[in-house]
Amino acid sequence: QVQLQESGPGLVKPSQTLSLTCTVSGGSFSTDNYYWSWIRQPAGKGLEWIGRIYPSGSTDYNASLKSRVTISIDTSKNQFSLKLNSVTAADTAVYFCARDLGVLGPEDYWGQGTLVTVSS
Amino acid sequence: EVVLTQSPATLSLSPGERATLSCRASQSVRTYLAWYQQKPGQAPRLLIYDASNRATGIPARFSGSGSGTDFTLTISSLEPEDFAVYYCHQRSDWPRSFGPGTKVDIK
C-alpha cells in the first residue's frame, strides 16, 4: 500500500517561498514508471494541478504557476518537494501530493493534505 | 487549456436513489477522464479512470461513461457514505485540470 505524507510550514509570509516535502512509503518510488504530483485546493474551492516530477528529474508544470514553481526529487529519501516563490494570499490552500500513473492513468494515491496559510 | 464544467452544482437526493452527474469538456479529452469523490477534510479518492474503469476497491454501484467532451458518473443507488463532492479530471491536455465539482447532499 503506497502512502504519501506532506510536511512543511503551515504559515508563510507574503513574498516569501512556500516549501513542502512529500514522503512516500510502500511501492517502488524510483523504479516504477510513475510520476509524483502536487495539487492544491483553496478553502471551499476546487482542485488546481500544480505540476509533477518523474524519478529521472523531468518535470511538467502548470503554465499559470510555472514562473514561481520548482518541483524536485530525492530518490534516496523517497521524497519529492515543492517550492513556490513570491507567495500571496491567493496561494493559501491545502496542498496535496499524489502519485500520478502517467500514461497508465490519473493520480491514484494521495496524501492527506496540508494547509498552508500566507499571512503576515 | 481544457476547461471542465460540471452539472448540476448541487444534487439533493435520498439514500437509495440514483445519482447522475455530468462533466463536459471544452474540447475533446478522448477517454482520459477520471472521477474523484471528496469528503470534508479528506483527500480526493479515485473512483473512475479513463471514463469507465472503476479503480481498485470501488463498489459496482459507481459507473462512468462517455468520450470526447461529454461524460457521466452514475451512482445506481446512493448509500449514506456516498454523500460528498465529486470532481471530474482530465489528463488529455496540459495542464491537467479538474471540474468545479458537484455536491451530492441528502434531501
Side-chain angles (χ1 to χ4, degrees), chain B residues 34-91:
Chain B
W35 291 93
Y36 291 86
Q37 176 193 70
Q38 188 179 34
K39 297 179 180 178
Q42 296 185 16
R45 174 193 179 199
L46 179 63
L47 301 175
I48 301 289
Y49 66 96
D50 293 353
S52 60
N53 298 293
R54 272 190 303 277
T56 302
I58 301 304
R61 64 181 181 273
F62 291 94
S63 63
S65 64
S67 66
T69 61
D70 290 292
F71 300 86
T72 301
L73 173 69
T74 301
I75 310 171
S76 59
S77 178
L78 283 164
E79 297 288 339
E81 62 268 27
D82 298 337
F83 292 93
V85 179
Y86 292 82
Y87 294 97
C88 57
H89 171 48
Q90 68 82 22
R91 64 182 182 94

Side-chain angles (χ1 to χ4, degrees), chain A:
Chain A
Q1 178 81 352
V2 177
Q3 293 186 311
L4 298 94
Q5 178 68 59
E6 305 88 352
S7 59
L11 181 64
V12 181
K13 288 182 167 50
S15 80
Q16 294 192 343
T17 298
L18 178 160
S19 296
L20 295 174
T21 295
C22 182
T23 302
V24 181
S25 58
S28 301
F29 181 72
S30 60
T31 59
D32 290 339
N33 294 324
Y34 302 139
Y35 290 79
W36 302 94
S37 297
W38 287 98
I39 294 153
R40 69 181 182 177
Q41 184 174 37
K45 296 187 177 180
L47 297 154
E48 181 179 29
W49 186 83
I50 299 171
R52 68 179 186 177
I53 189 164
Y54 197 67
S56 66
S58 68
T59 53
D60 299 300
Y61 297 128
N62 189 328
S64 68
L65 297 169
K66 188 174 183 177
S67 63
R68 300 195 292 132
V69 171
T70 302
I71 298 176
S72 59
I73 194 165
D74 186 339
T75 55
S76 68
K77 295 182 179 179
N78 280 17
Q79 293 178 334
F80 63 107
S81 298
L82 169 71
K83 290 190 186 298
L84 180 66
N85 58 37
S86 304
V87 296
T88 69
D91 296 309
T92 294
V94 174
Y95 286 76
F96 296 99
C97 59
R99 188 179 79 167
D100 176 338
L101 296 176
V103 295
L104 298 178
E107 295 81 358
D108 58 349
Y109 288 100
W110 295 58
Q112 64 186 25
T114 187
L115 174 62
V116 179
T117 301
V118 178
S119 175
S120 56

